[in-house]
Amino acid sequence: QVNVVESGGGSVEAGESLSLSCTASQYTRCIYELTWYRQAPGKEREFVSGINRDGATNYADAVQGRFAISQDSAKNTAYLKMNSLKSEDTAMYYCKVRLRNLVFGCRSGDYWGQGTQVTVSS
């Protein structure tokens, strides 16, 4: 079992920035990648950005060039720096932690946080 906690959400005006954090606890040596998703009212949950244990990153087209994902392996934390925020970025942002059997005793699986709300007004 892995506990996943997101933080850093809030309400900002268009053009401003926010930084989100995702921290995982327990079985941290089993973590393969951390991925951010978001879900706006009336819409399906969508991929935002991800980073794996080797530092490889991916971004959705909608956030390319504006968002930046990074990680601190020692803290088992992933960060999402969101710049030039737009009203369409308004959503609940979720962090997903993917585990793999990288080390003896690890089990594969995905674990989700409860989400942190980001609201962008224009």
Side-chain angles (χ1 to χ4, degrees):
Q1 291 292 314
V2 177
N3 185 42
V4 182
V5 179
E6 305 98 333
S7 63
S11 181
V12 299
E13 296 182 3
E16 296 182 342
S17 300
L18 279 175
S19 293
L20 307 183
S21 298
C22 170
T23 300
S25 62
Q26 295 185 305
Y27 302 98
T28 55
R29 288 180 294 180
C30 308
I31 297 174
Y32 175 73
E33 65 181 3
L34 300 168
T35 307
W36 287 98
Y37 293 79
R38 67 186 182 187
Q39 186 168 23
K43 299 182 65 177
E44 296 183 348
R45 188 170 299 186
E46 65 177 2
F47 166 81
V48 176
S49 182
I51 186 168
N52 69 16
R53 63 185 290 110
D54 298 318
T57 60
N58 286 287
Y59 297 93
D61 290 343
V63 306
Q64 182 72 244
R66 297 188 298 118
F67 291 10
I69 191 169
S70 61
Q71 66 184 354
D72 186 336
S73 298
K75 297 181 179 180
N76 304 302
T77 300
Y79 305 95
L80 185 67
K81 180 66 180 301
M82 305 182 294
N83 299 312
S84 302
L85 284 164
K86 307 174 181 179
S87 59
E88 50 263 45
D89 295 318
T90 296
M92 183 72 76
Y93 283 71
Y94 299 91
C95 180
K96 182 187 74 177
V97 178
R98 173 160 290 180
L99 272 61
R100 292 288 182 266
N101 57 339
L102 305 173
V103 181
F104 179 80
C106 293
R107 297 179 64 181
S108 298
D110 291 341
Y111 298 85
W112 293 84
Q114 293 298 112
T116 184
Q117 179 67 40
V118 173
T119 302
V120 184
S121 60
S122 60

